[in-house]
Amino acid sequence: MPSADIDFGYSDADFRRVRQIAMAEAGISLPETKKNLVYSRLSRRIRETGYHSFNSYLDFVVTKAGEKERDKLICAITTNVTSFFREGHHFEHLHDVVLPQIARNLRAGGMGRLWSAACSTGQEAWSMAMTTMDVIPDAPSLDMKILGTDINRDVVDVGRRGVYLSQDINAIPSTMKKKWVVEDKDEPGYSMITGEIRELPVFNILNLNSNWPIRKKFDAIFCRNVVIYFSAETREALWKRLADHLVPGGYLYVGHSERVERQDECNLTAESSTIYRKRG
């Protein structure tokens, strides 16, 4: 429970309301063990919005006027942890297996599409872009695009800007860093992605448990360390939707602690513990 010096209460009923909102808005399942975490994360939002209790804050959140704050609530109770080239074996597979096939399609007049679902602050999408440029140097002049999406408007804006702490840039291989990264003269201590590579990623806000205004299918989708927040039902439904948005033979990459349990229903075959290929 929160410490006694907090000037607003937090009841079991408040936690249940947060759980209901999280499930209805984003398919997020909050176990009892997250009760204190929810308090810690949302108490900051309550202070910033000027409310004096969880009850009054949540009363506002569920109204039409509270729609934007409802989004901030969802963002507050989820964790945005990412880095450049995280889980490097996925990028090796993308480089050696997926992108050569995309290159052949592009040379034949086709298109290439990659998706970083739940892209957080964008390092994953930019890592995909750098890997793409390493295999297909003229990708920006071809029908090649990378989509980065996240439910959190603030982190999507960071990804779109492509400006990061210089110390975080160190995870980028040196050859790629020399080509695509420069110090940001306007922000000491920061570096930015630069050059024609910026033409590849497109960043948009998207709730994975809402409608997807996506028409094209993808050669590969990265959806990693996301479903850990979801109920089993929501998780399986998401895997199926993602698989449906892959081209035949396309790949789905998941987090190291995640598994697609019903592969047959998704028309997927496991190539490794975290890489699945769509049949066809």
Side-chain angles (χ1 to χ4, degrees):
M1 287 298 295
S3 59
D5 62 348
I6 301 300
D7 60 359
F8 48 77
Y10 178 54
S11 66
D12 289 342
D14 293 329
F15 179 61
R16 286 196 296 271
R17 289 184 73 187
V18 174
R19 293 177 73 175
Q20 291 167 358
I21 293 168
M23 177 58 71
E25 290 296 313
I28 295 173
S29 178
L30 292 171
E32 285 289 334
T33 55
K34 299 294 185 182
K35 184 176 180 181
N36 287 347
L37 179 144
V38 166
Y39 178 87
S40 175
R41 300 281 180 84
L42 293 190
S43 59
R44 302 169 194 165
R45 294 301 315 151
I46 294 173
R47 291 190 185 94
E48 289 180 16
T49 52
Y51 289 91
H52 300 287
S53 70
F54 264 81
N55 189 51
S56 59
Y57 172 74
L58 295 174
D59 282 346
F60 168 69
V61 162
V62 298
T63 65
K64 179 66 176 176
E67 185 174 357
K68 289 185 178 179
E69 184 57 35
R70 194 157 62 245
D71 290 341
K72 291 184 180 296
L73 179 152
I74 298 299
C75 295
I77 60 177
T78 55
T79 302
N80 293 294
V81 178
T82 188
S83 61
F84 287 99
F85 293 91
R86 187 182 186 190
E87 298 184 39
H89 61 287
H90 285 165
F91 292 97
E92 292 173 6
H93 184 272
L94 180 68
H95 183 284
D96 297 341
V97 178
V98 181
L99 285 165
Q101 178 61 53
I102 291 177
R104 288 190 286 272
N105 292 340
L106 291 170
R107 305 293 176 214
M111 67 179 186
R113 293 292 185 271
L114 304 176
W115 181 12
S116 170
C119 67
S120 187
T121 44
Q123 287 94 324
E124 182 175 272
W126 285 115
S127 298
M128 295 165 80
M130 292 180 196
T131 306
T132 298
M133 293 297 289
D134 200 51
V135 179
I136 314 170
D138 56 342
S141 66
L142 301 170
D143 192 0
M144 181 74 205
K145 286 297 178 184
I146 298 166
L147 176 64
T149 65
D150 200 279
I151 194 173
N152 186 330
R153 182 182 303 274
D154 293 337
V155 299
V156 168
D157 287 342
V158 173
R160 190 177 289 127
R161 288 184 65 216
V163 177
Y164 301 95
L165 283 168
S166 295
Q167 64 192 41
D168 296 337
I169 295 292
N170 291 333
I172 300 175
S174 58
T175 54
M176 295 181 178
K177 187 161 53 175
K178 288 178 181 178
K179 287 181 181 179
W180 308 118
V181 180
V182 297
E183 291 185 8
D184 189 337
K185 296 179 181 179
D186 296 326
E187 294 187 68
Y190 284 81
S191 296
M192 63 185 298
I193 312 296
T194 188
E196 60 181 346
I197 194 174
R198 294 190 66 92
E199 298 175 30
L200 291 181
V202 175
F203 292 92
N204 287 316
I205 301 163
L206 183 72
N207 182 341
L208 288 174
N209 288 287
S210 185
N211 294 326
W212 299 354
I214 298 173
R215 297 179 181 178
K216 305 280 179 73
K217 294 195 174 185
F218 298 89
D219 299 278
I221 299 173
F222 280 50
C223 187
R224 308 184 301 174
N225 307 306
V226 176
V227 303
I228 52 175
Y229 296 105
F230 297 160
S231 66
E233 181 181 5
T234 304
R235 183 166 59 243
E236 295 307 323
L238 177 60
W239 292 145
K240 178 66 166 58
R241 291 182 75 189
L242 290 170
D244 288 344
H245 279 73
L246 286 171
V247 300
Y251 289 88
L252 173 65
Y253 299 82
V254 306
H256 63 87
S257 63
E258 300 168 333
R259 299 292 181 271
V260 178
E261 299 292 344
R262 300 177 181 176
Q263 295 173 36
D264 287 342
E265 294 181 18
C266 298
N267 201 25
L268 295 172
T269 300
E271 295 228 336
S272 73
S273 61
T274 58
I275 303 175
Y276 298 84
R277 191 181 190 191
K278 185 172 181 177
R279 301 190 188 104

